[in-house]
């Protein structure tokens, strides 16, 4: 008989684990119990009470969590949430290069692709040592109607989109006060980088009863820049400095109580590059252009509505202001007093029109403050025809003379068209340009006529010589006929609204100033009475 020592450990049969069958049975029983409990809750407890219990359970769980979450919805009630759009642009700039899945889109009338997070994707950001987690969520819900982009109609929407921004709750103040402002500023930079410049014009059906945007746009692909503009370097430098000073002085304009806008008058002969300068300004500032045709408007209120509908950071252009509207209210009043001398049908058609007072209020009145960072540009071939009230600072702050082509302008055109700025024939061209009074458009047209640079320069010289000879003959004919501009001047008839009498406007060719005389009026001492004789310095006019 052998002695068997007692072991210190229980036998293997005592420590045997439950069988897999037993565990599966227990799990199934627990699941059945949960399902039964949920059925009882749904059957016997009111829905409001169920939601209350669920809310309390979530609150209890969250009380033990150190994470805080901000929900940024696409719409706040029926209003679009600007922070949601800013978050989209911001996240596009911090998408990691190793992202496995992204959404890509190309918006209508845009030239750049847009990248964004797909549904339920997350992205981690770090700001001043704070770790933040963004999650994009999209859920289908009940249909609701939200305002359409034109703000007149509504459109159905069944998808709820929002971002969840999660972080440690001790950083709540930093995130709300600092980080979200950083998100907004960064989104603005991203938007400017992605921006495609637009050229807006009035929609043809804006007055037909159809509701919608009053402006329609196309992408602006005009290649004009200050580097390619055929202007004197000093003139371009002054304009660029004025533009840079304007865009940097938002707080200054607010402090002095002025609307943040700037007015320019471009005047000079046709073909001198006024439209190219407008495009160069838009490309330089990255501003959209709104081309406003005043003859298409019927009332001052329509003009105000158009002003309200333009975006900030834009260039509003009114070309040929002297031809597009009756700016002289006194002339319109005089015509109204003498309907027998004018076509009655014409008066009926034009009884509603934009008036000078309406235009002045649009440029420099209360309505001019409806928007920020705007450039207003008027162009004209005849500055002397404009009302002095429209020319004063505050309405047209800077007068820019777009004159004939100069030797400096020719060299720039030669660089653009021919690819070089020095040639043995250039001195001859420059000497002729100063005599021929040709526009940059005429010079450019001559340089386009030939494929070979030598032929282009020779053809330009022949054109300039012909133009110079023609001008000499015209000046000689004037001298032989005694038509001296200084002695006689140029006369133009118009109506004086004060008394309805015919008056004469005289252009003094010695200084380009306009003078006005009444028919048969005797002037006190034989001197010319100046109606508009303000001379401006280099800071006001180029």
């Amino acid at each position: 008989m052998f002695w068997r020592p007692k072991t210190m450990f229980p036998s293997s049969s005592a420590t045997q684990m439950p069988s897999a069958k037993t565990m599966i049975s227990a799990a199934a029983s627990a699941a059945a119990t949960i399902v039964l409990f949920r059925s009882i809750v749904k059957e016997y407890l009111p829905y409001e009470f169920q939601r209350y219990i669920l809310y309390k359970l979530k609150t209890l769980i969250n009380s033990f969590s150190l994470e805080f979450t901000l929900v940024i919805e696409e719409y706040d009630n029926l209003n679009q949430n600007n922070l949601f759009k800013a978050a989209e642009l911001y996240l596009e700039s911090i998408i990691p290069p190793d992202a496995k899945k992204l959404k890509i889109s190309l918006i209508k009338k845009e030239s750049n692709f847009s990248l964004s997070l797909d549904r339920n994707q997350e992205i981690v950001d770090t700001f001043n040592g704070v770790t933040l987690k963004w999650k994009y969520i999209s859920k289908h819900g009940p249909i609701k109607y939200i305002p359409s982009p034109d703000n007149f109609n509504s459109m159905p929407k069944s998808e709820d989109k929002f971002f969840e921004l999660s972080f440690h709750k001790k950083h709540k103040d930093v995130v709300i006060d600092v980080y979200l402002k950083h998100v907004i500023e960064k989104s603005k930079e991203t938007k400017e980088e992605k921006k495609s410049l637009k050229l807006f014009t009035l929609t043809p059906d804006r007055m037909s009863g159809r509701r919608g945007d009053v402006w329609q746009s196309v992408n602006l692909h005009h290649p004009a820049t200050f580097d390619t503009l055929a202007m004197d370097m000093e003139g371009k430098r002054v304009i660029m400095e004025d533009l840079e000073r304007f865009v940097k002085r938002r707080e200054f304009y607010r402090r002095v109580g002025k609307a943040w806008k700037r007015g320019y008058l471009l005047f000079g002969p046709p073909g001198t590059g006024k439209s190219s300068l407008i495009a160069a300004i838009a490309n330089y500032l990255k501003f959209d252009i709104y081309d406003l045709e005043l003859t298409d408007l019927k009332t001052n209120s329509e003009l105000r509505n158009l002003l309200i509908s333009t975006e900030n950071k834009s260039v509003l252009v009114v070309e040929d202001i002297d031809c597009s509207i009756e700016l002289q209210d006194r002339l319109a009043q005089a015509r109204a007093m003498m309907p027998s001398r004018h076509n009655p049908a014409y008066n009926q058609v034009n009884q509603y029109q934009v008036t000078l007072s309406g235009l002045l209020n649009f440029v420099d009145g209360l309505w001019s403050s409806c928007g920020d960072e705007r450039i207003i540009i008027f162009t004209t071939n005849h500055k002397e025809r404009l009302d002095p009230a429209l020319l004063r600072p505050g309405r047209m702050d800077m007068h820019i003379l777009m004159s004939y082509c100069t030797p400096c302008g020719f060299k720039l055109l030669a660089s653009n068209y021919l690819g070089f700025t020095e040639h043995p024939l250039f001195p001859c061209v420059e000497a002729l340009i100063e005599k021929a009074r040709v526009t940059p458009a005429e010079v450019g047209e001559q340089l386009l006529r030939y494929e070979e640079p030598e032929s282009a320069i020779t053809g330009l010289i022949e054109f300039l010589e012909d133009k110079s000879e023609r001008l000499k003959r015209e000046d000689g004919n004037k001298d032989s006929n005694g038509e001296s501009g200084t002695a006689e001047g140029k006369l133009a008839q118009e109506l004086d609204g004060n008394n309805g009498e015919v008056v004469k406007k005289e252009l003094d060719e010695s200084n380009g100033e306009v003078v006005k005389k009444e028919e048969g009026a005797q002037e006190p001492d034989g001197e010319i009475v100046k109606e508009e004789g303000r001379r401006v310095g280099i800071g006001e006019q180029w």
Side-chain angles (χ1 to χ4, degrees):
M1 186 176 185
F2 297 96
W3 175 76
R4 176 182 290 177
K6 293 182 178 181
T7 180
M8 296 176 61
F9 301 97
S11 62
S12 60
S13 60
T15 60
Q16 186 176 5
M17 295 292 294
S19 63
K21 183 177 181 180
T22 304
M23 294 178 64
I24 294 174
S25 177
S29 178
T33 303
I34 293 174
V35 171
L36 178 62
F37 178 75
R38 289 184 60 186
S39 300
I40 294 175
V41 169
K42 285 187 175 182
E43 184 72 23
Y44 296 102
L45 292 180
Y47 176 72
E48 292 77 8
F49 188 65
Q50 297 176 34
R51 293 191 60 182
Y52 177 77
I53 294 177
L54 183 61
Y55 169 76
K56 287 296 183 182
L57 287 174
K58 287 184 177 180
T59 303
L60 179 63
I61 295 173
N62 290 336
S63 64
F64 295 100
S65 175
L66 298 178
E67 189 177 75
F68 187 85
T69 301
L70 293 175
V71 178
I72 305 173
E73 296 181 333
E74 183 181 14
Y75 286 89
D76 181 14
N77 294 326
L78 295 179
N79 299 317
Q80 193 167 22
N81 188 355
N82 293 331
L83 186 56
F84 180 88
K85 186 61 179 178
E88 278 188 321
L89 292 170
Y90 174 75
L91 292 177
E92 183 175 349
S93 66
I94 64 169
I95 291 176
D98 58 347
K100 302 296 183 183
K101 185 179 180 182
L102 294 172
K103 288 198 306 182
I104 186 169
S105 60
L106 182 62
I107 302 175
K108 184 180 180 181
K109 296 183 180 180
E110 294 290 344
S111 56
N112 297 318
F113 293 106
S114 295
L115 297 174
S116 59
L117 298 178
D118 198 7
R119 183 181 303 177
N120 297 326
Q121 272 191 298
E122 296 181 355
I123 189 170
V124 178
D125 189 22
T126 303
F127 178 78
N128 293 344
V130 179
T131 301
L132 306 104
K133 183 176 67 176
W134 289 88
K135 185 177 182 180
Y136 173 66
I137 299 175
S138 177
K139 295 181 178 180
H140 289 282
I143 296 178
K144 56 184 178 182
Y145 291 87
I146 59 174
S148 60
D150 58 20
N151 293 324
F152 289 103
N153 303 311
S154 60
M155 57 183 183
K157 183 177 180 61
S158 61
E159 186 179 17
D160 294 328
K161 301 177 183 179
F162 57 92
F163 288 104
E164 286 187 350
L165 176 60
S166 303
F167 49 89
H168 197 289
K169 60 183 180 182
K170 69 179 180 181
H171 301 304
K172 177 181 176 181
D173 293 339
V174 175
V175 172
I176 294 177
D177 297 336
V178 182
Y179 177 70
L180 290 182
K181 292 181 180 179
H182 165 74
V183 169
I184 294 174
E185 291 300 320
K186 189 68 177 178
S187 68
K188 290 180 180 178
E189 296 177 6
T190 304
K191 184 177 180 180
E192 287 298 317
E193 293 173 358
K194 291 164 54 70
K195 181 178 180 179
S196 298
L197 295 186
K198 298 289 191 300
L199 174 61
F200 290 87
T201 187
L202 296 177
T203 55
D205 57 350
R206 71 186 187 282
M207 299 299 293
S208 62
R210 294 177 56 186
R211 292 183 173 182
D213 199 346
V214 295
W215 297 98
Q216 61 183 6
S217 67
V218 296
N219 285 344
L220 178 65
H221 297 300
H222 201 294
T225 64
F226 281 105
D227 292 332
T228 61
L229 204 61
M231 284 182 63
D232 290 338
M233 298 302 296
E234 181 66 14
K236 290 193 285 188
R237 183 189 63 79
V238 170
I239 296 173
M240 288 189 289
E241 289 180 355
D242 189 76
L243 293 171
E244 291 173 358
R245 183 167 55 250
F246 167 74
V247 297
K248 294 177 181 178
R249 304 181 82 182
R250 176 177 183 175
E251 295 303 323
F252 173 80
Y253 276 83
R254 182 173 297 178
R255 178 166 56 85
V256 299
K258 288 179 62 68
W260 192 16
K261 64 176 183 61
R262 188 77 171 154
Y264 293 88
L265 173 65
L266 311 185
F267 66 100
T272 51
K274 291 185 282 294
S275 297
S276 295
L277 177 57
I278 293 171
I281 291 175
N283 288 325
Y284 185 73
L285 297 178
K286 301 295 184 184
F287 282 10
D288 294 328
I289 296 179
Y290 288 82
D291 184 18
L292 179 59
E293 182 61 56
L294 292 180
T295 54
D296 289 343
L297 307 183
K298 294 183 178 180
T299 61
N300 293 333
S301 61
E302 187 179 356
L303 179 63
R304 291 194 295 267
N305 292 336
L306 292 174
L307 176 64
I308 294 173
S309 62
T310 57
E311 297 289 338
N312 296 337
K313 291 191 173 184
S314 59
V315 178
L316 185 61
V317 179
V318 180
E319 293 195 276
D320 296 323
I321 182 65
D322 57 303
C323 302
S324 59
I325 192 173
E326 283 285 2
L327 295 178
Q328 300 281 353
D329 277 0
R330 57 180 180 270
L331 299 182
Q333 293 171 2
R335 290 193 178 101
M337 294 173 61
M338 296 182 294
S340 59
R341 296 181 58 184
H342 300 278
N343 188 352
Y346 177 86
N347 292 334
Q348 293 176 3
V349 172
N350 292 274
Q351 60 180 334
Y352 299 107
Q353 62 179 358
V354 177
T355 63
L356 176 61
S357 61
L359 183 64
L360 296 180
N361 191 37
F362 159 78
V363 174
D364 192 33
L366 292 176
W367 288 98
S368 66
S369 61
C370 298
D372 283 334
E373 207 168 357
R374 283 181 176 152
I375 302 289
I376 302 177
I377 299 179
F378 293 88
T379 71
T380 180
N381 298 331
H382 305 281
K383 178 183 175 182
E384 69 278 0
R385 295 180 183 176
L386 300 183
D387 194 292
L390 191 60
L391 296 174
R392 72 165 178 79
R395 290 166 181 164
M396 296 185 183
D397 304 292
M398 191 172 184
H399 299 183
I400 303 172
L401 173 60
M402 306 298 293
S403 187
Y404 295 106
C405 189
T406 62
C408 177
F410 162 71
K411 283 192 173 183
L412 192 54
L413 289 173
S415 176
N416 295 338
Y417 286 86
L418 306 178
F420 52 82
T421 57
E422 297 295 337
H423 191 275
L425 293 177
F426 275 11
C428 178
V429 174
E430 293 171 4
L432 289 170
I433 276 184
E434 293 182 341
K435 302 176 182 178
R437 294 203 300 268
V438 293
T439 65
E442 290 176 310
V443 175
E445 176 61 26
Q446 294 301 316
L447 296 178
L448 277 175
R449 289 187 172 214
Y450 304 93
E451 295 291 337
E452 295 295 329
E454 294 288 339
S455 301
I457 298 175
T458 305
L460 177 60
I461 292 176
E462 294 177 358
F463 171 77
L464 294 176
E465 289 175 343
D466 292 341
K467 186 76 176 290
S468 299
E469 290 297 326
R470 190 163 59 252
L471 289 175
K472 285 182 181 179
R473 289 196 299 268
E474 292 176 357
D475 292 340
N477 292 334
K478 289 182 180 180
D479 293 338
S480 62
N481 294 329
E483 296 176 1
S484 173
T486 305
E488 299 295 333
K490 294 180 181 178
L491 299 179
Q493 290 189 350
E494 65 177 35
L495 293 173
D496 188 349
N498 296 325
N499 51 22
E501 296 180 355
V502 176
V503 299
K504 290 184 178 179
K505 254 188 177 181
E506 182 174 359
L507 179 62
D508 184 355
E509 291 188 352
S510 62
N511 53 19
E513 294 174 345
V514 177
V515 298
K516 184 177 76 174
K517 297 190 219 177
E518 290 187 3
E519 287 262 354
Q522 182 67 35
E523 293 169 352
D525 48 6
E527 295 182 355
I528 295 177
V529 180
K530 296 181 180 179
E531 180 189 36
E532 180 191 358
R534 183 176 68 90
R535 286 194 174 273
V536 293
I538 196 170
E540 294 177 295
Q541 171 174 306
W542 273 97

